[in-house]
Amino acid sequence: MRDGHRWRDRAGSYADGVRTGAPNVVQVADRFHLWQNLGTAVEAQRHGIREIARELHMGGNTVQALHAHVRGFAGIFQTRSGHHLKDWITATRSEDLPRLHASATGLEKDWDAVVQGLTTRWNSGPVEGRVNHIK
């Protein structure tokens, strides 16, 4: 905990624990898990797109849309402009990308912590990477 903030991953049980144990602390979703969650959704969407394209012999418009949305999220991530997240979610939902829609819903469920994670200059990414090597 630093400056009244608690960095954590996106698991609901962690959010509940912090809310119970330290209700006045600002929760911050760490960037490592935000990026990892998006990567998981993109990989699932990509797999689905390949299967559909094989079946229907479709072009790459959906792949291009997926690429554009990932780049958009990367821009928010890199520039710490969490205030643009709602626009990104709206744009993502305008496309036929159900895995990204599910990811967006997850972001909305943890909105305050996610926006903090995408805005604050502090993050637990370097530590989280080390913790994952131990797990």
Side-chain angles (χ1 to χ4, degrees):
M1 191 168 3
R2 182 187 317 204
D3 299 330
H5 291 73
R6 171 65 176 104
W7 281 260
R8 61 171 177 76
D9 70 17
R10 302 276 324 291
S13 57
Y14 290 121
D16 293 342
V18 173
R19 237 184 324 275
T20 301
N24 296 325
V25 168
V26 175
Q27 295 190 45
V28 181
D30 70 80
R31 288 185 215 134
F32 175 85
H33 284 99
L34 290 170
W35 192 249
Q36 184 181 51
N37 293 157
L38 179 66
T40 300
V42 166
E43 188 55 37
Q45 185 70 53
R46 236 174 35 113
H47 176 71
I49 289 170
R50 276 184 290 204
E51 295 303 313
I52 292 168
R54 280 189 205 122
E55 291 176 21
L56 302 176
H57 308 290
M58 292 177 65
N61 290 340
T62 305
V63 174
Q64 290 173 352
L66 179 62
H67 180 260
H69 292 301
V70 170
R71 301 257 324 162
F73 189 86
I76 292 169
F77 189 87
Q78 291 171 335
T79 61
R80 293 193 310 263
S81 52
H83 58 282
H84 291 300
L85 184 61
K86 188 51 111 174
D87 295 334
W88 180 85
I89 288 174
T90 300
T92 298
R93 287 205 170 120
S94 71
E95 305 283 351
D96 185 22
L97 300 168
R99 303 296 178 141
L100 284 189
H101 297 180
S103 181
T105 298
L107 295 173
E108 288 174 325
K109 287 180 181 177
D110 200 16
W111 186 258
D112 292 337
V114 169
V115 171
Q116 283 290 323
L118 290 172
T119 305
T120 184
R121 67 184 177 98
W122 304 105
N123 76 81
S124 65
V127 175
E128 187 63 43
R130 295 291 98 202
V131 170
N132 283 341
H133 289 285
I134 295 169
K135 290 181 184 177

